[in-house]
Amino acid sequence: MTMEHTDAVLGLDDVWVVQPRNDRNDVEQIPIFLTQFTMDSIARRFPYLVEQRPEDGDEDAQAAKIDWKIVQDDVEKPFVASALEFVPLPVMHGEGYICLGFLFGRRARVAYLSDVSRFLPKTKHGKKLILVHNSLFR
């Protein structure tokens, strides 16, 4: 997850529809990587997703099975998902608000960045992101 804003999190409620099942037809948890700040916001908005139970009074409803993974928003702390290494890229999303982008890939490196108003110096210089910045935003 790049941030906790509505446009990034409102689809979480419907993840259960597309969740994979194992050979025993049990729903497999989907790992979601996010910062503690984003996790705290999601826990307030979707407590039933964090607690892995339906909303009160709606026990027949499906709730997504999510494996919440807290990542550090530091360009020096990569994590592995789906056998790929991801490097969190903190970027500014308006003044005073930092969200995450992600750098990944083996042979070719790809940066996923959404809602970026400007790059932080440690992000721009940490992984040669200046090349991505120049090719995408000029």
Side-chain angles (χ1 to χ4, degrees), residues 78-136:
F79 62 91
V80 175
S82 299
L84 284 175
E85 182 179 84
F86 287 78
V87 178
L89 302 172
V91 293
M92 294 304 297
H93 175 49
E95 278 311 304
Y97 187 85
I98 297 175
C99 67
L100 291 181
F102 298 99
L103 182 66
F104 60 95
R106 290 191 182 105
R107 290 184 194 174
R109 304 288 280 177
V110 175
Y112 174 78
L113 303 162
S114 67
D115 297 325
V116 178
S117 61
R118 70 180 166 84
F119 289 96
L120 296 168
K122 70 178 180 177
T123 302
K124 194 187 294 188
H125 301 296
K127 296 291 179 184
K128 298 180 184 171
L129 195 59
I130 190 72
L131 298 174
V132 173
H133 171 72
N134 286 340
S135 65
L136 290 178

Side-chain angles (χ1 to χ4, degrees), residues 2 5 14 21 25 27 41 61 74 78 129 133 136:
T2 59
H5 287 177
D14 293 319
R21 296 184 175 271
N25 206 29
V27 174
S41 175
D74 182 355
L129 195 59
H133 171 72
L136 290 178

Side-chain angles (χ1 to χ4, degrees), residues 20-85:
R21 296 184 175 271
N22 63 22
D23 56 352
R24 295 185 311 262
N25 206 29
D26 296 325
V27 174
E28 294 182 19
Q29 285 189 322
I30 294 177
I32 294 184
F33 297 82
L34 66 170
T35 64
Q36 186 64 56
F37 179 80
T38 300
M39 181 75 241
D40 293 344
S41 175
I42 288 171
R44 285 189 301 275
R45 291 163 122 174
F46 303 105
Y48 56 95
L49 291 178
V50 175
E51 297 167 9
Q52 303 286 304
R53 64 172 180 75
E55 289 186 272
D56 291 337
D58 200 5
E59 283 72 27
D60 293 331
Q62 294 276 346
K65 304 279 190 272
I66 299 172
D67 182 12
W68 303 102
K69 307 242 184 225
I70 306 300
V71 298
Q72 297 298 318
D73 55 350
D74 182 355
V75 294
E76 301 304 318
K77 305 260 187 208
F79 62 91
V80 175
S82 299
L84 284 175
E85 182 179 84

